[in-house]
Amino acid sequence: MQTARLAKERLDDLVRLLRERGYRVLGPRVRAGAVMLDEIDSAADLPRGVKSAQEPGSYRLVDSADGRYFDFVNGPESLKRLLFAPEETLWTVTDGEVRFNEAAAEAPPTAVIGARACDIAGMRVQDRTFLAGQYSSHTDPYYAARREKLFLVAVNCTRSAGTCFCASMGTGPRVREAFDLALTELDDCFLVEAGSAAGENVAKQLPLVNAPASDRAAADRAIEGAAKSQVRRLDSDGIYELLFNNLEHPRWDDVASRCLSCANCVMVCPTCFCHKEHDETGLDGAQSAHKRQWDACFTLGHGSVHGARLRPQIRQRYRQWLTHKVASWIPQFGVSGCVGCGRCITWCPTGIDLTEEVAAIRATPGLRG
């Protein structure tokens, strides 16, 4: 399918078509002062004319008069919650009978409008963790069931937040894979591309017209402008050797003096997959539920084995997170665990910036605390 043009006032046709095809349609909505993914009934539910101002430790929404639908860049949520549930029951035991949870297989087909390139890159990283392949010998059935039923309407970013650095990670701001439809928002229309057979089928029912070359050029300029406007970058060249040769660098103590160990960075990260499992037993002792729940390497409990704490100091836990995220993830999964979305910077209460931490070590290698 060639890039086509969809008039802005017809965006609601896309929402309606997806709903008619049986999808639960999620899109960005303003909730609790942030843009979150939530169920939408029509395009009117989208946060039109809303921008986000993001800096380290700071996020606020700003009303604008331009009427654009997707200028807010991103919020605290990625696609992670929709595929890797924050908490779910894996099996139950009732009067000695074990029953495995089959609910994930019955999860409704879900369409997400507004996924960004960094979100999809994060999903592709998690695919390597949860789906059997070169990097995993096991498929997680809960993740796989939701992944199979996911229809993605991506949005190319034409604006970057102050904390974005996807351009330096090669993951954005243009989405390049694993989408069904991709939109680029211009002043008076969307440019539409199909990325899958399912996307082609939906596109055929939309009131599209061929996009003139001027529209395609405008879209390219806008996406390129978003990339060039990014003021942060992560230099990944030789990063494994850099970090593992500097495990005693004094910068780890410096960042520990600012880190609250709150795990906000992990919760908003689209690729972090640490979790724990525990049993909840009924008061009558006749039933229990075995649950999986998101966890974080920033917690003391996550590094506890047989009563001993492997990483009792914050410096050790931050070092574990950063060295895994941007360095040892690469030999483990073939890609960096960081997609450059910048959420960990925006949502850190003290504004810790991992690009700054890596740059500080790179500037003074060999120091020891």
Side-chain angles (χ1 to χ4, degrees), residues 4-21:
R5 196 178 204 272
L6 176 69
K8 277 202 175 175
E9 58 270 23
R10 303 306 297 268
L11 181 60
D12 205 38
D13 289 25
L14 175 58
V15 180
R16 177 181 52 77
L17 271 174
L18 292 171
R19 288 169 59 85
E20 288 175 357
R21 287 170 172 255

Side-chain angles (χ1 to χ4, degrees), residues 79 83 119-127 143 147 150 152 178:
L79 298 171
L83 298 169
D119 297 329
I120 292 176
M123 180 188 73
R124 296 292 285 161
V125 171
Q126 289 216 316
D127 284 350
Y143 182 95
R147 179 79 168 83
L150 189 63
L152 287 177

Side-chain angles (χ1 to χ4, degrees), residues 131-142:
L131 301 179
Q134 182 178 356
Y135 300 99
S136 175
S137 59
H138 176 71
T139 288
D140 182 279
Y142 307 95

Side-chain angles (χ1 to χ4, degrees), residues 50-68:
V50 171
K51 297 181 188 300
S52 67
Q54 302 189 43
E55 296 296 336
S58 173
Y59 176 96
R60 63 188 173 88
L61 297 180
V62 181
D63 291 329
S64 72
D66 62 16
R68 285 182 170 249

Side-chain angles (χ1 to χ4, degrees), residues 222-360:
I223 297 168
E224 186 178 352
K228 289 181 175 177
S229 71
Q230 293 181 8
V231 296
R232 286 179 164 73
R233 69 184 305 273
L234 181 64
D235 182 358
S236 297
D237 187 32
I239 197 165
Y240 183 95
E241 293 76 15
L242 174 73
L243 295 185
F244 280 90
N245 288 338
N246 286 279
L247 293 177
E248 300 305 323
H249 196 284
R251 189 70 184 191
W252 302 117
D253 292 313
D254 183 276
V255 70
S257 71
R258 292 172 278 131
C259 177
L260 304 178
S261 193
C262 66
N264 259 18
C265 52
V266 173
M267 294 297 114
V268 298
C269 177
T271 68
C272 280
F273 59 87
C274 284
H275 58 273
K276 62 183 178 183
E277 296 183 15
H278 65 279
D279 291 300
E280 292 183 1
T281 306
L283 291 176
D284 61 0
Q287 54 190 336
S288 68
H290 189 82
K291 294 188 174 183
R292 177 170 68 181
Q293 187 180 52
W294 285 5
D295 199 7
C297 54
F298 277 89
T299 65
L300 279 172
H302 191 77
S304 295
V305 179
H306 299 297
R309 290 172 174 169
L310 299 177
R311 293 179 287 274
Q313 300 171 358
I314 291 178
R315 71 185 293 274
Q316 296 167 331
R317 298 200 289 278
Y318 187 87
R319 186 178 63 189
Q320 158 67 22
W321 175 74
L322 188 63
T323 54
H324 186 217
K325 177 66 61 183
V326 303
S328 61
W329 206 298
I330 297 171
Q332 185 178 8
F333 293 110
V335 294
S336 174
C338 177
V339 296
C341 67
R343 288 184 172 95
C344 61
I345 304 172
T346 297
W347 295 95
C348 173
T350 62
I352 293 172
D353 177 349
L354 83 170
T355 68
E356 196 174 285
E357 300 310 317
V358 171

